[in-house]
Amino acid sequence: MNRPDMNAIPDKPGVYLFKDRKEQIIYVGKALSLRRRLASYFDSSPKPVKTERMLKRASSLDYIITNNEVEALLLEANMIKTEKPRYNILLKDSKGYPYIKVTREDFPRVMFTRSTSEEKADYFGPFVQAQNLRGILKSLLKVFPLRSCTDTRFRQGKTCINYQIKRCKGPCEGLISKTEYNKIVSEIRDFFKGNMEKLQSTLKNEMESYAEKLMFEEAAEVRNRMQSLGKLFTNQKIVMENDKHIDCFVFGRHKEIDYVTQCFVRSGKLIGLNTKIIEDREYLGDDVSYVMQFYSTLRQFPEELFVYPQPAGNDSRVLSSALNKLSGKDIVIRQRGLGNLVPVAQNNGINFVEKYIENKDTVHQMTERFKKVLHLDNDIKTIQCVDISHLSGEMTVGASVFWDKSRGFVKNNYRKYNLKNLSNNDVEAVYQLVKRKAENIAQGSEEGSDIYIIDGGIAQLNAAVKAFGETGMNANVCSISKGRSRSGEKFDSAESIEEIHFPGRKNSIRLKRNDKALLLAAKMRDEAHRFVITALRQKALKNYKKSPLLQIDGLGEKRLKILLTEFPDIYSNFELTAEEIAEKCSIPLNICERVLRFVKKSQY
């Protein structure tokens, strides 16, 4: 965009907004002096790549004057959260940290969540490893049998299969009192607060009380809880001798790459440590903006905050005032006392950056090899992959995933498509999906890419090429499919069974198993398949009562729901065995065999 008249822009604090031709906000920033900050965008100094792209896309500029820098910081964080500007990328692709959520109902539920927006709930965390937390929660709910049903299901007042397998105490039918139920909830709260000694003592007293009353079955149940908790609990590093909740942000730079390591201290123990790369730093003060954007999104505030290095000049006071207004409580900004944590965070940050550099080198090799295989002139920066899934021709869904060379998979750019009037026709489904995608890209509602990969053979590829051509898009398209046999795939240097198809070429090519172009294409295909199966599972579970599988003798609605939860791709998973279904779904083997025969018959 053209340089605006800087004399017309006030020398006051505020927030500035870059907009595109459609008046959509594409970037939000704050400034102590709007005039000086905006002038820096249009001077002759070198700009980060992201800024150059943003300025090319920007068509107009607006700004909002605030009374002080605190208001500017709050407004910036709020507008980034609500408007989600395209070029504000500090925390844009972050899924957020996982928490344990305990609802405040008469009979509370305990669940995994990444959203902490619901006020009528208590949250424990944040935790860093989502997979570990899911496993711990799953194990805990075996030991502490709390309800996991929805409110609608609970109000029906009828026990479900979880009660039968002793995963729930049946509060819906009044089989446990509110007092006894909430005693179990308190035990889980103690577990996640780290009060293990209190919890173990409580359980021991409870077990002894049951034993004295000759209630041996109940005593054995409590004993099993104690044993299970001993296996689940891991000793976390004690970094402080107090019970404060403290969040730490340690900013650093290694090999010209900026990073931030976030440390979460709960009751004096370090429960999580994680590093993120900060790309395209535009100006000093990003540390303060990062912290504000983090809490504006998370909405879970610590008692104390530690930032290293300490914010320069007036920034510490500005951050403190802004956080206090945002949280509605006084958050102490610590100046000292956590120095022992800084070296730990820095070492973690340096190791993370080294792995990040190594990964970027590998990614560069992948895209360069893919570029050579496809005979492209321009560099590959973004790739999309398309996949289709359905249940015997019914409930067809399509999906596409988006990959960026510098950011990896970008979940915000994933798309799902409900496809209609199809009867087990994957070629027509690909055509419909790509046609809609091309139209969306032309209209600006979807982002285009350098390459589009179709999961399928030459027929699906031709359908995609036709769809792009009808919308006037000159797109680079290929497809990837599996061959007939895995024999010979004994070594990385062996030829893969994966086949890559190109427009206008009759024969496909097979690359070596360790070929970097194939690894990238297969990685895209696998992620697209995972995403489309998730979409199909959601759709199938909404409509499972209409499924033709209910015609199978012995397969009722309960078993079908379990089956579709585990195997929503049952019609396309040709390697699935009756034994595998029986093991994962706890369905009798003879019924599983009937299911596979029904599926096979429906495909002809």
Side-chain angles (χ1 to χ4, degrees):
M1 63 175 289
N2 296 326
R3 177 186 172 93
D5 181 6
M6 290 302 162
N7 292 326
I9 298 175
D11 186 18
K12 294 182 178 181
V15 169
Y16 55 91
L17 320 169
F18 282 98
K19 300 180 180 179
D20 61 15
R21 293 178 182 177
K22 295 182 179 180
E23 288 296 301
Q24 296 290 320
I25 298 173
I26 60 174
Y27 187 78
V28 175
K30 68 164 179 63
L32 182 59
S33 167
L34 287 168
R35 181 184 299 169
R36 289 198 299 271
R37 179 70 190 104
L38 289 171
S40 68
Y41 280 95
F42 300 95
D43 60 21
S44 58
S45 62
K47 306 290 188 302
V49 175
K50 183 202 72 174
T51 305
E52 295 283 2
R53 290 178 183 173
M54 185 272 291
L55 291 173
K56 286 181 180 179
R57 192 178 183 92
S59 177
S60 61
L61 174 66
D62 201 354
Y63 54 84
I64 301 170
I65 300 172
T66 59
N67 291 321
N68 50 56
E69 196 176 1
V70 173
E71 290 185 8
L73 187 59
L74 281 166
L75 183 57
E76 178 198 37
N78 185 59
M79 292 197 73
I80 290 173
K81 178 185 175 183
T82 57
E83 299 295 334
K84 296 180 173 60
R86 179 175 181 175
Y87 291 96
N88 287 98
I89 63 172
L90 272 181
L91 290 164
K92 190 171 185 178
D93 296 322
S94 175
K95 291 190 295 185
Y97 286 107
Y99 277 77
I100 289 297
K101 174 182 176 181
V102 181
T103 63
R104 295 178 188 168
E105 302 165 289
D106 288 341
F107 292 93
R109 289 170 289 165
V110 179
M111 61 191 73
F112 175 100
T113 184
R114 290 186 185 273
S115 172
T116 58
S117 57
E118 184 182 343
E119 294 184 358
K120 294 182 179 179
D122 296 318
Y123 299 92
F124 298 95
F127 299 90
V128 174
Q129 297 294 335
Q131 186 175 0
N132 291 348
L133 183 59
R134 289 182 191 275
I136 289 173
L137 181 59
K138 186 176 181 180
S139 299
L140 273 176
L141 291 178
K142 291 179 182 178
V143 181
F144 298 95
L146 301 179
R147 76 180 185 95
S148 58
C149 56
T150 63
D151 287 338
T152 301
R153 172 71 176 168
F154 182 76
R155 285 193 292 267
Q156 292 177 2
K158 187 177 180 180
T159 58
C160 61
I161 191 172
N162 283 337
Y163 174 76
Q164 299 169 18
I165 61 175
K166 297 183 179 181
R167 297 285 177 85
C168 179
K169 288 288 190 178
C172 54
E173 284 195 23
L175 300 178
I176 182 174
S177 69
K178 184 177 176 181
T179 301
E180 287 297 314
Y181 186 93
N182 279 285
K183 186 185 295 184
I184 299 175
V185 176
S186 295
E187 292 169 357
I188 284 194
R189 289 177 186 273
D190 285 337
F191 176 84
F192 283 108
K193 285 179 179 177
N195 298 333
M196 290 303 298
E197 292 181 3
K198 176 184 175 184
L199 177 55
Q200 294 283 11
S201 175
T202 300
L203 290 175
K204 184 179 179 181
N205 292 336
E206 188 178 348
M207 180 183 67
E208 291 173 352
S209 175
Y210 280 130
E212 288 175 2
K213 297 175 184 177
L214 305 182
M215 299 171 68
F216 299 115
E217 186 174 341
E218 290 81 357
E221 183 179 334
V222 176
R223 179 204 63 203
N224 292 340
R225 282 191 211 170
M226 293 174 63
Q227 292 174 348
S228 298
L229 285 173
K231 296 176 183 178
L232 287 172
F233 185 69
T234 56
N235 292 322
Q236 291 134 339
K237 182 178 179 180
I238 297 176
V239 294
M240 294 193 72
E241 294 298 331
N242 64 31
D243 59 354
K244 299 290 185 182
H245 288 193
I246 307 171
D247 288 355
C248 309
F249 294 79
V250 177
F251 292 88
R253 169 173 280 205
H254 178 63
K255 293 186 176 179
E256 301 302 312
I257 294 177
D258 292 301
Y259 67 85
V260 56
T261 300
Q262 295 164 244
C263 312
F264 305 103
V265 179
R266 299 294 180 264
S267 301
K269 299 174 183 176
L270 179 62
I271 68 165
L273 184 147
N274 192 42
T275 296
K276 295 179 182 293
I277 300 296
I278 300 179
E279 297 185 274
D280 290 343
R281 275 193 157 188
E282 289 193 15
Y283 60 100
L284 294 175
D286 261 356
D287 297 358
V288 171
S289 288
Y290 184 96
V291 174
M292 278 302 298
Q293 289 178 43
F294 179 82
Y295 289 112
S296 178
T297 302
L298 196 66
R299 308 298 296 187
Q300 292 293 312
F301 303 94
E303 297 172 86
E304 298 182 357
L305 179 69
F306 178 73
V307 179
Y308 180 89
Q310 292 182 19
N314 197 38
D315 285 349
S316 182
R317 185 193 61 80
V318 170
L319 176 61
S320 176
S321 299
L323 278 176
N324 291 345
K325 287 186 177 182
L326 185 65
S327 64
K329 61 181 183 180
D330 291 333
I331 297 175
V332 177
I333 307 292
R334 294 183 66 95
Q335 303 296 324
R336 58 181 64 86
L338 282 165
N340 61 330
L341 202 56
V342 172
V344 175
Q346 289 174 330
N347 287 335
N348 191 81
I350 290 170
N351 290 334
F352 188 88
V353 170
E354 290 290 346
K355 291 179 182 178
Y356 173 79
I357 293 171
E358 182 181 344
N359 182 61
K360 286 194 76 169
D361 290 341
T362 303
V363 167
H364 179 72
Q365 293 170 8
M366 284 181 169
T367 54
E368 285 298 303
R369 173 59 180 158
F370 210 173
K371 175 183 172 182
K372 184 177 181 180
V373 169
L374 297 179
H375 302 290
L376 301 179
D377 295 326
N378 298 325
D379 291 339
I380 299 172
K381 295 178 181 177
T382 61
I383 305 174
Q384 292 189 50
C385 186
V386 166
D387 196 6
I388 303 292
S389 192
H390 56 80
L391 288 174
S392 189
E394 301 293 329
M395 292 184 271
T396 304
V397 295
S400 66
V401 298
F402 190 102
W403 181 86
D404 183 281
K405 184 177 180 179
S406 61
R407 294 183 287 165
F409 287 109
V410 183
K411 301 296 178 68
N412 290 342
N413 288 352
Y414 284 22
R415 294 292 183 270
K416 292 184 287 188
Y417 306 83
N418 287 317
L419 305 172
K420 300 180 180 179
N421 302 322
L422 296 168
S423 180
N424 206 9
N425 189 336
D426 284 356
V427 176
E428 176 63 22
V430 168
Y431 171 78
Q432 285 191 23
L433 187 157
V434 175
K435 186 77 176 289
R436 283 169 56 182
K437 174 175 283 291
E439 291 171 349
N440 291 343
I441 292 171
Q443 295 168 4
S445 58
E446 285 194 46
E447 191 169 335
S449 289
D450 300 313
I451 297 176
Y452 299 87
I453 301 174
I454 311 300
D455 185 7
I458 192 68
Q460 285 85 351
L461 174 63
N462 290 338
V465 171
K466 178 183 176 184
F468 277 124
E470 289 179 355
T471 52
M473 276 189 65
N474 184 20
N476 297 312
V477 193
C478 67
S479 70
I480 180 171
S481 62
K482 288 184 179 180
R484 294 182 181 179
S485 172
R486 290 187 175 272
S487 61
E489 266 196 80
K490 298 178 181 178
F491 308 101
D492 285 346
S493 58
E495 188 177 80
S496 171
I497 63 167
E498 312 282 1
E499 298 181 8
I500 298 181
H501 309 267
F502 304 95
R505 177 170 174 164
K506 183 178 179 180
N507 298 323
S508 63
I509 66 169
R510 286 191 177 187
L511 302 172
K512 302 296 184 183
R513 287 186 63 195
N514 60 356
D515 190 287
K516 288 183 167 54
L518 177 62
L519 293 174
L520 180 56
K523 179 180 179 180
M524 292 293 304
R525 188 266 319 278
D526 293 345
E527 175 64 3
H529 184 69
R530 181 203 65 78
F531 185 56
V532 78
I533 289 302
T534 301
L536 180 62
R537 178 183 289 114
Q538 293 169 347
K539 191 171 184 179
L541 290 177
K542 285 182 181 178
N543 300 279
Y544 75 97
K545 293 183 179 180
K546 300 178 182 178
S547 172
L549 292 170
L550 286 173
Q551 301 172 36
I552 300 170
D553 185 30
L555 190 69
E557 290 183 1
K558 287 184 178 179
R559 283 175 173 170
L560 176 60
K561 191 171 183 180
I562 295 171
L563 175 66
L564 293 179
T565 299
E566 289 290 340
F567 303 105
D569 60 338
I570 189 167
Y571 283 94
S572 58
N573 191 343
F574 303 115
E575 298 177 0
L576 191 60
T577 64
E579 289 77 12
E580 188 177 356
I581 297 175
E583 181 181 352
K584 290 197 173 182
C585 301
S586 300
I587 297 175
L589 183 61
N590 63 329
I591 297 176
C592 298
E593 291 170 345
R594 288 178 209 156
V595 169
L596 291 183
R597 285 197 297 269
F598 182 91
V599 169
K600 188 175 181 180
K601 185 178 179 181
S602 68
Q603 292 169 345
Y604 292 101

